[in-house]
Amino acid sequence: MNNSQEIILAGFGGQGIMFAGKLIASAGMLAGKEVSWLPSYGPEMRGGTANCHVIVSDQQVGSPIINNPTTLIVMNRPSLDKFENTVTSGGIIIIDSSLVNRSIARTDVKGIEVPATQMAVDMGEGKLANMVLVGKFIKETGIISMDILKEALKKVVSARKQELLDINIKALELGYNY
């Protein structure tokens, strides 16, 4: 498995892009890896575009800015249009096929379509599509174990939202097993 992942997560503001990135970075830290997390909001924030760059590596991270990610996780069509061609050859593109109305055009990357929003809606928590995609990401890359991811989730979910922990874990497992 890869010992380094440079991930761009992108979608609309309010889809939990930053939270998903923070979770991956936190899990990387718990796993003893070098990490960086760089959020980037469009001017509109909610409803505007949002993306974050996350690096999880065995080596020291030189710069938090990613030009050519090894993995792209997208939750909307504009993000796929914007970032698809930046992914390194042999990389992975994971899309929420519930919200992205086209397939990946490239043949030199592994394209994975997950109906994450529909899966989250089906479990009664439409806002957890981000967690479904994170689960699929760690299954595909093996960069972090599911146990460490769950530990990180306990730290990242705020104290006043602890009741959401179990449903978040369920969403991660749903994506992991998809």
Side-chain angles (χ1 to χ4, degrees), residues 8-146:
I8 292 181
L9 298 95
F12 291 123
Q15 285 184 306
I17 297 291
M18 302 307 161
F19 182 84
K22 191 190 259 181
L23 174 60
I24 293 168
S26 298
M29 280 195 307
L30 271 181
K33 296 185 180 285
E34 300 287 324
V35 302
S36 75
W37 175 71
L38 181 69
S40 170
Y41 299 93
E44 311 85 359
M45 198 142 145
R46 291 232 174 250
T49 56
N51 69 75
C52 70
H53 294 204
V54 179
I55 300 173
V56 178
S57 180
D58 291 337
Q59 280 84 44
Q60 207 166 9
V61 175
S63 167
I65 296 165
I66 301 169
N67 294 316
N68 299 106
T70 52
T71 300
L72 173 64
I73 301 173
V74 291
M75 295 188 71
N76 66 5
R77 168 81 187 256
S79 295
L80 181 60
D81 294 343
K82 180 177 180 180
F83 294 112
E84 178 176 9
N85 291 326
T86 66
V87 178
T88 57
S89 186
I92 300 170
I93 300 176
I94 302 171
I95 66 171
D96 183 342
S97 59
S98 301
L99 301 177
V100 179
N101 62 354
R102 77 167 174 90
S103 291
I104 295 151
R106 292 177 56 186
T107 55
D108 65 330
V109 294
K110 182 175 184 180
I112 302 166
E113 297 185 11
V114 180
T117 295
Q118 190 57 55
M119 291 165 74
V121 167
D122 289 348
M123 62 182 262
E125 270 307 326
K127 288 190 176 354
L128 294 182
N130 61 339
M131 293 295 97
V132 173
L133 295 170
V134 169
K136 187 61 180 169
F137 162 73
I138 66 152
K139 171 73 177 240
E140 289 299 319
T141 63
I143 190 79
I144 302 158
S145 74
M146 181 57 103

